[in-house]
Amino acid sequence: MELSRSAGVPSAGVALIALAAAALPLVTRDSYYLDVATTILMNLTLTMSFRLQVSTGQINMAHISFMGIGAYASALLVTRVGLSFWATLWIGPLVAAALAVPIGSVALRVSGPYYFLITFAFSEVVRLFFNNFFEGLFGGPSGLVGIPKPDRLLGLAFDGKLELYGLMAVLCVGVALALVRLDHSRFGLTAGAIRQADLLAETLGVNVFRYKLTTFVLGSFIAGLAGVFFAHFRRVLHSSDFGLEPMVLLVVFTVIGGTGSVWGPVVGTILMTIASELLRELHHYEILVFGAVLILTMLFAPEGLVALPGTARRLLRRLRGRAPAAAGVGLAP
Amino acid sequence: MLLELRGVSRRFGGLLAVADLSMTVAGGAIHGLIGPNGAGKSTVFNLITGVIPLTAGEVFFKGERTSGLRPSEICRRGIARTFQATTLFREYTVLQNVLVAAHLVTTPGLASALFWSRPYRERERRARDRGRTLLEALGLGPVASQVADTLPHRDQKALALTMVLATGAELVILDEPMAGLAAQEKAETTSVLRRLREQGVTVLLVEHDMKAVMGVCDTVTVLDHGVRIAEGTPREIQTNPAVIEAYLGADEPGA
């Protein structure tokens, strides 16, 4: 929020991410660290696109399903049809976005808890579909295996961790740039207005349904993009990769950082992905730890970790008896 | 006629909140809608602006049917409103509130927002300038960069009015624009309403302050229990026996 003072600042933030991503290979080329970093960037793409929808007040519990749709679409188009990864990198997200139009049109007729439930139900349908239907195609419970790495592009082979990391970094920075610009534009301003008072926005001439559908479809496109990368990075797909547990983690990552600005998911995802690696020993119990962290965040920093400095500053100002600071989202006045 | 209601009804369960209401609002006028509590005034506003659907009847604006349209579409046709409980985008600054309201006048495209092209930035600059001009006109210039939630009540009311004007509406519907204001502030609001009329903006308002209503309105419609019981100039309304009865109640025998 505090970062939205001028138009230059948001782009500078993305440049910082890009710089950090570019600097990592100079520090270490250890395949484990590259793996973790790639996962962070992939998760970041997901949480940022999830937050895009939160910005209009939607908690889309089917977000991970659109990642799955992109992943399965690309995996099948490459292995069965023989398309190049570089083609499916676009086709996968487009498939996810195309399916998001009718699904969003139905789900967005309701809001609040009903929206949460309807999207959750949809995500379960998608997961069960990948798990139980067309076993010859989706691989059933044993998963879809034998997905190749991305093929060569412009003489570059994508068979090492470093190249895959580089590819994900480029995708993630591209997505971040687009989303940051959107957030700081009139579109982002209107989206935030819808979250604060949707009826007021509607009576002022904002077609709330169309705005929500646009963010739903755009968010699904980006989730599909992350999915395509995921398929060719992990090279095996299980329906549970797109089930409730990863979806809950996605929500936790986003909420812990804060949904007030695009920087919340960035902070939340980086911290929590690293935490998840450190807690690897705990296996499935790690979600207990995450749950506790989420509760603590909700109690003591409901606007997320990124809002803490601003809250502290306002508190200090109040203690000194000065007027509360302006903390607007979106356009600089 | 700028606005026309034909046989409009609204039922909430067993309650007929608005019953077969027909009324017209003339262009360029300040039209008051009054009545005792529960008369259905706010419901009428919600029906005109599409916030709730009609049970029966039709609404026409500039000769075109608007009942059944989305509120945003009705606003696009030229009707904007304030809410009784002053509603704002509380986390946003005053100027940001106005920019959201000016959405229709300066439509931001998704693609142009993504690429921040020169025409896009130019349009943004113009939108901000226009917003500032409006705020200056309503005396909110000095607080333009303050967060809406931190404004005093009087400024919040003024902001809600500014936002309605920022949509470029020809008909503005105000739900109790004077509520909670001091005498001096009411006088200011009255002069703003008169200025709007001079500029050709039509005003339809619900207000409990009878002195203000009678002082500023050209025409007054009186509702009681969802039924129109009188309409006329303020002078006619003040002497109408049906109106007096509705407000004071019929004399009980032996009382």
Side-chain angles (χ1 to χ4, degrees), chain A residues 312-328:
Chain A
R313 210 164 32 229
R314 273 197 298 279
L315 209 68
L316 271 177
R317 283 218 184 103
R318 204 170 306 158
L319 286 177
R320 288 195 209 132
R322 271 161 48 184

Side-chain angles (χ1 to χ4, degrees), chain B:
Chain B
M1 281 304 142
L2 190 68
L3 180 76
E4 185 179 1
L5 277 69
R6 282 189 207 158
V8 169
S9 296
R10 171 66 205 198
R11 183 178 286 283
F12 294 109
L15 175 78
L16 196 56
V18 177
D20 196 26
L21 175 69
S22 294
M23 66 178 273
T24 56
V25 175
I30 299 179
H31 193 125
L33 185 61
I34 64 169
N37 283 327
K41 307 178 297 280
S42 289
T43 306
V44 170
F45 280 9
N46 286 338
L47 293 172
I48 296 172
T49 54
V51 169
I52 56 172
L54 287 75
T55 308
E58 287 175 306
V59 179
F60 292 85
F61 181 64
K62 292 195 285 185
E64 281 178 57
R65 206 184 121 148
T66 55
S67 40
L69 298 174
R70 287 183 70 87
S72 55
E73 178 59 26
I74 292 173
C75 181
R76 211 178 64 78
R77 303 273 178 103
I79 305 178
R81 67 170 295 176
T82 62
F83 288 87
Q84 192 177 343
T86 309
T87 318
L88 301 167
F89 304 117
R90 317 201 74 89
E91 299 167 25
Y92 280 170
T93 66
V94 169
L95 182 60
Q96 285 175 327
N97 269 276
V98 175
L99 282 176
V100 174
H103 166 95
L104 286 174
V105 188
T106 53
T107 313
L110 182 64
S112 62
L114 272 177
F115 296 111
W116 279 1
S117 59
R118 189 176 293 274
Y120 168 75
R121 281 174 306 191
E122 182 57 30
R123 212 164 45 236
E124 283 306 287
R125 203 182 52 73
R126 275 205 307 272
R128 275 201 291 277
D129 289 347
R130 196 176 154 275
R132 283 218 178 79
T133 311
L134 257 176
L135 286 172
E136 295 291 344
L138 278 111
L140 290 173
V143 293
S145 51
Q146 212 171 309
V147 175
D149 206 20
T150 66
L151 292 178
H153 178 74
R154 159 181 55 102
D155 288 350
Q156 292 195 356
K157 282 237 141 76
L159 176 55
L161 183 58
T162 313
M163 287 160 74
V164 161
L165 297 179
T167 64
E170 290 167 63
L171 171 64
V172 301
I173 298 186
L174 310 175
D175 205 343
E176 300 197 15
M178 314 278 186
L181 295 185
Q184 171 63 25
E185 294 156 5
K186 280 181 184 169
E188 281 166 20
T189 307
T190 304
S191 77
V192 168
L193 296 181
R194 292 214 173 96
R195 225 156 64 213
L196 287 179
R197 180 172 53 189
E198 279 165 32
Q199 289 165 11
V201 177
T202 308
V203 179
L204 174 61
L205 60 93
V206 159
E207 184 50 61
H208 279 298
D209 184 323
M210 282 307 131
K211 214 176 113 210
V213 169
M214 297 307 168
V216 75
C217 290
D218 302 303
T219 314
V220 176
T221 301
V222 189
L223 281 189
D224 189 27
H225 296 297
V227 179
R228 192 179 80 172
I229 57 168
E231 186 168 289
T233 63
R235 188 174 295 276
E236 289 161 7
I237 293 301
Q238 277 166 310
T239 53
N240 187 312
V243 176
I244 294 166
E245 187 186 307
Y247 269 91
L248 301 178
D251 284 341
E252 282 172 46

Side-chain angles (χ1 to χ4, degrees), chain A residues 195-281:
Chain A
R195 178 179 50 74
Q196 293 171 51
D198 55 353
L199 182 61
L200 177 62
E202 177 79 36
T203 56
L204 290 170
V206 176
N207 189 329
V208 170
F209 176 75
R210 219 178 59 199
Y211 257 86
K212 286 186 170 178
L213 188 61
T214 305
T215 57
F216 188 90
V217 172
L218 188 60
S220 300
F221 179 91
I222 297 168
L225 186 72
V228 173
F229 180 85
F230 179 85
H232 299 268
F233 175 62
R234 290 285 160 83
R235 304 179 62 193
V236 50
L237 295 177
H238 290 100
S239 59
S240 60
D241 294 335
F242 314 107
L244 181 60
E245 193 173 318
M247 184 63 226
V248 169
L249 288 182
L250 184 60
V251 176
V252 171
F253 286 16
T254 312
V255 171
I256 283 176
T259 54
S261 78
V262 279
W263 306 108
V266 176
V267 171
T269 306
I270 293 174
L271 287 180
M272 296 312 283
T273 311
I274 292 171
S276 156
E277 283 303 316
L278 296 175
L279 297 172
R280 197 170 266 277
E281 301 292 303

